[in-house]
Amino acid sequence: MNNKLYGNLIFELSHPGRRAYSLPKNEFGNHELPKEMRRAKDAELPECDEMTVVRHYTNMSENNFGVDNGFYPLGSCTMKYNPPINEEIAALPAFNNLHPLQPESSVQGALQVEYDLQRALSAITGMSDFTLNPCAGAHGELTGLMIIRSYHQSRGDNKRNKVIVPDSAHGTNPASAAVCGCEVLEVKSTEDGLVDLADLKELVKNHPDDIAAMMMTNPNTLGLFERDIPEITKLIHSAGGLMYYDGANLNPMLGAARPADMGFDVMHINLHKTFSTPHGGGGPGSGPVGVRKGLEKFLPKPHVVKTGDAFSIEGLEVQDELEGQDGLETLNNQDSQDSIEKKLENNHVGAFLGNFLVIVRALTYILSLGKENIKMVGPLSVLNANYIKESLKDDYELPIAGLCKHEFVFNGLKDKSTGVTTMDVAKRLLDYGYHAPTIYFPLLFHEAMMIEPTENESKETLDGFIDVMHKIAKEARETPDVVKRAPHNTPITRVDDVEAAKHPVLTYKQLIEDSEK
Ligand SMILES: *Cc1c(COP(=O)(O)O)cnc(C)c1O
């Protein structure tokens, strides 16, 4: 692409008076907007011809890397194939043009989608019921912890404010616990990357009556199945705490094991990961929360229920609020000290019935795979990860050997004498047309490189990636500078991460001002 000709910003292509459209002749006379409604100054909009606009945005879209144009082994994120049928179904006007305040009788199909997904997720995980309201995994974690707190409080047990989180956990786990007003107790990992039972026993001994929950990801963020899970759940339950399952790594479990059978009480699922919605760049997401039998009454409202053949929404108070002002007044009159507390009292964690079109995509994905094929997802994702791991372990340091699940972690290049870091390898991969793996996470290893191929990739794709990774290792030995100065072929070469974080340039104006300095 020719950056000069097409410009990096549409504003740079602007010429006063250029137009990409023409309005029909005005046949209705002039009706001016009242002065107080008009802007004092014209909006500073770019002025371009149509071809320029089309080329600018088409070229820009080609700078975007996605699952549809290349291998995307971003560990922990499950960047799997997003089948076009998901998009086709989500784009149907009957789903896409809904208004959240439509009468129930006019949205029976949409409510059935929600209900069917609630049931499907229960079947897949063994949980009794789900809320689809939370809008991301992290949002689900917070919702789940609020459910756990409500459960303890319902028994008059108000002192439980400790949440145990493994040191390998995703950062959102301790953050959610803190936002929920809990204190985090970190449990160590053993040499082989699993929860250290001895350390956990010690923690539980020191906190006999104030553990609210333990949060776990299984397989954990190193891609390892927590073998001691029966003992861990027994330990936490006997101390009066509940087990929370971070379902971000549910993918390899599909068809193999169910969190409820492992002893978990509350969990979330990242629909955008396990059940495929394009989520590069941070969204859109959906983080349904499921609970085991006995905890259903703590799920937030609104919630879709089925009576006979009809679907209805339980607890959608917003409608009443809009009709009379009563509901709104109750909301306003409440003590506004603690808004999470307030939301919990009102039983809402999000607007209406969640991120509906992500829910539609997830159900489409589940139904198009069907009961039999969905059982292949877990085993194939595990096979692909192990194939890459075993093929590369001569060139890359494998801190934890043995069978992994859907993802695994290298600790940089095996040959540390080259001075080539994980960051350098990740940047060099871009030159070869691959998305980089997740790097410097989890924090257990200094040069972590976390690879998750997902189940969708062909052997040829995996072999191509393996070849390039070997090639980069060879370059690191022979011409390390080439790797250290990568990327060479991308529109922007290496950015200064620290400068970008400290002085982010996020607006066009600022860009101009900076360039004029
Ligand atoms: C992605 C992820 C989360 C957070 O989920 P979001 O949907 O990004 O909020 C939590 N835990 C783990 C292990 C994850 O991989």
Side-chain angles (χ1 to χ4, degrees):
M1 156 180 132
N2 185 337
N3 270 331
K4 265 233 175 61
L5 187 56
Y6 297 114
N8 289 318
L9 292 173
I10 191 78
F11 292 92
E12 293 168 354
L13 306 171
S14 180
H15 290 277
R18 290 270 170 87
R19 289 289 177 270
Y21 67 92
S22 57
L23 292 176
K25 206 166 150 243
N26 176 7
E27 293 170 357
F28 306 100
N30 283 336
H31 301 275
E32 299 249 308
L33 280 174
K35 191 151 185 257
E36 68 276 12
M37 295 180 77
R38 280 182 271 155
R39 39 166 86 244
K41 231 174 98 204
D42 280 349
E44 292 172 48
L45 298 176
E47 300 176 77
C48 299
D49 60 282
E50 186 167 340
M51 255 325 342
T52 300
V53 174
V54 168
R55 287 183 184 145
H56 173 73
Y57 287 108
T58 304
N59 285 324
M60 203 154 70
S61 75
E62 285 173 4
N63 282 340
N64 219 358
F65 193 97
V67 188
D68 283 357
N69 49 355
F71 184 51
Y72 206 136
L74 196 67
S76 190
C77 294
T78 308
M79 303 302 276
K80 63 163 69 173
Y81 176 53
N82 306 119
I85 188 163
N86 288 0
E87 302 308 313
E88 276 173 42
I89 302 295
L92 291 176
F95 292 139
N96 205 7
N97 293 347
L98 291 179
H99 192 284
L101 294 177
Q102 266 176 253
E104 278 172 6
S105 61
S106 72
V107 291
Q108 285 292 298
L111 296 186
Q112 184 175 355
V113 166
E114 295 246 348
Y115 183 82
D116 286 354
L117 185 63
Q118 288 166 198
R119 296 322 309 151
L121 297 182
S122 286
I124 287 168
T125 60
M127 292 290 162
S128 172
D129 203 356
F130 268 86
T131 171
L132 308 183
N133 301 2
C135 287
H139 193 193
E141 291 170 29
L142 176 61
T143 304
L145 290 171
M146 288 182 352
I147 288 170
I148 290 173
R149 186 171 55 189
S150 302
Y151 158 77
H152 289 310
Q153 286 176 349
S154 75
R155 297 155 57 243
D157 193 349
N158 295 318
K159 61 187 171 306
R160 293 186 179 271
N161 69 340
K162 304 282 186 296
V163 174
I164 301 178
V165 176
D167 59 3
S168 63
H170 194 270
T172 50
N173 289 187
S176 299
V179 171
C180 197
C182 295
E183 211 175 291
V184 175
L185 302 175
E186 194 175 270
V187 58
K188 288 198 197 75
S189 300
T190 57
E191 288 277 285
D192 45 2
L194 302 175
V195 165
D196 186 334
L197 259 181
D199 194 45
L200 183 63
K201 281 182 184 154
E202 193 63 23
L203 270 182
V204 171
K205 208 170 83 194
N206 294 336
H207 294 275
D209 57 3
D210 64 354
I211 293 171
M214 174 165 181
M215 300 180 85
M216 275 184 81
T217 312
N218 194 19
N220 65 22
T221 56
L222 296 167
L224 303 171
F225 191 85
E226 297 277 0
R227 272 182 271 110
D228 295 324
I229 194 69
E231 204 173 339
I232 294 172
T233 53
K234 221 164 109 194
L235 196 61
I236 299 299
H237 283 151
S238 65
L242 296 187
M243 288 297 293
Y244 184 88
Y245 183 85
D246 176 336
N249 289 350
L250 187 66
N251 208 44
M253 296 291 99
L254 291 182
R258 306 192 308 172
D261 301 335
M262 296 177 209
F264 287 98
D265 304 288
V266 182
M267 69 174 291
H268 80 258
I269 297 176
N270 306 58
L271 290 188
H272 45 291
K273 294 179 181 173
T274 310
F275 299 113
S276 85
T277 282
H279 59 281
S286 176
V289 170
V291 294
R292 67 151 161 79
K293 216 166 179 44
L295 294 176
E296 300 92 336
K297 64 170 183 279
F298 300 108
L299 283 174
K301 302 276 186 292
H303 189 242
V304 176
V305 291
K306 186 178 183 189
T307 325
D309 285 336
F311 301 93
S312 56
I313 306 173
E314 207 179 53
L316 186 61
E317 288 138 26
V318 181
Q319 241 152 355
D320 310 335
E321 285 166 18
L322 289 182
E323 277 161 19
Q325 282 292 301
D326 285 14
L328 272 182
E329 263 160 38
T330 342
L331 261 180
N332 290 336
N333 288 344
Q334 260 166 12
D335 193 353
S336 62
Q337 267 180 357
D338 184 343
S339 67
I340 290 174
E341 214 63 68
K342 199 171 82 180
K343 283 203 168 146
L344 189 65
E345 277 168 35
N346 286 297
N347 252 334
H348 289 296
V349 296
F352 304 104
L353 288 166
N355 214 342
F356 180 65
L357 293 179
V358 179
I359 288 162
V360 170
R361 287 178 178 93
L363 185 64
T364 306
Y365 183 75
I366 290 170
L367 293 180
S368 51
L369 280 181
K371 250 190 198 143
E372 290 313 310
N373 292 324
I374 211 162
K375 290 185 186 154
M376 296 297 290
V377 170
L380 282 176
S381 69
V382 171
L383 177 66
N384 284 355
N386 280 283
Y387 180 64
I388 297 181
K389 171 171 68 71
E390 292 303 313
S391 305
L392 289 176
K393 68 180 184 188
D394 290 342
D395 271 339
Y396 294 84
E397 185 189 327
L398 184 63
I400 296 169
L403 199 69
C404 65
K405 292 294 172 222
H406 62 305
E407 63 189 358
F408 63 93
V409 180
F410 282 135
N411 187 24
L413 282 159
K414 203 167 192 178
D415 182 355
K416 301 281 188 246
S417 71
T418 64
V420 170
T421 64
T422 281
M423 175 67 84
D424 301 329
V425 174
K427 296 289 186 191
R428 187 65 176 141
L429 271 170
L430 307 182
D431 282 336
Y432 288 109
Y434 289 90
H435 196 283
T438 295
I439 58 173
Y440 299 108
F441 175 83
L443 307 176
L444 297 179
F445 311 109
H446 290 305
E447 290 291 324
M449 185 187 290
M450 187 179 191
I451 298 175
E452 176 182 6
T454 83
E455 66 279 7
N456 307 118
E457 303 296 343
S458 68
K459 181 166 179 296
E460 291 70 29
T461 302
L462 302 183
D463 285 336
F465 176 71
I466 289 163
D467 279 351
V468 161
M469 288 290 279
H470 279 310
K471 204 183 270 178
I472 295 173
K474 188 160 178 266
E475 287 175 346
R477 288 189 295 270
E478 293 170 1
T479 51
D481 259 10
V482 171
V483 187
K484 284 164 139 332
R485 281 187 287 103
H488 307 275
N489 307 335
T490 52
I492 292 175
T493 55
R494 211 175 279 213
V495 291
D496 182 338
D497 294 326
V498 178
E499 178 69 11
K502 286 200 159 170
H503 184 211
V505 179
L506 303 173
T507 61
Y508 176 65
K509 272 243 164 72
Q510 192 176 359
L511 201 70
I512 295 180
E513 281 161 17
D514 286 355
S515 70
E516 282 169 355
K517 268 184 205 154

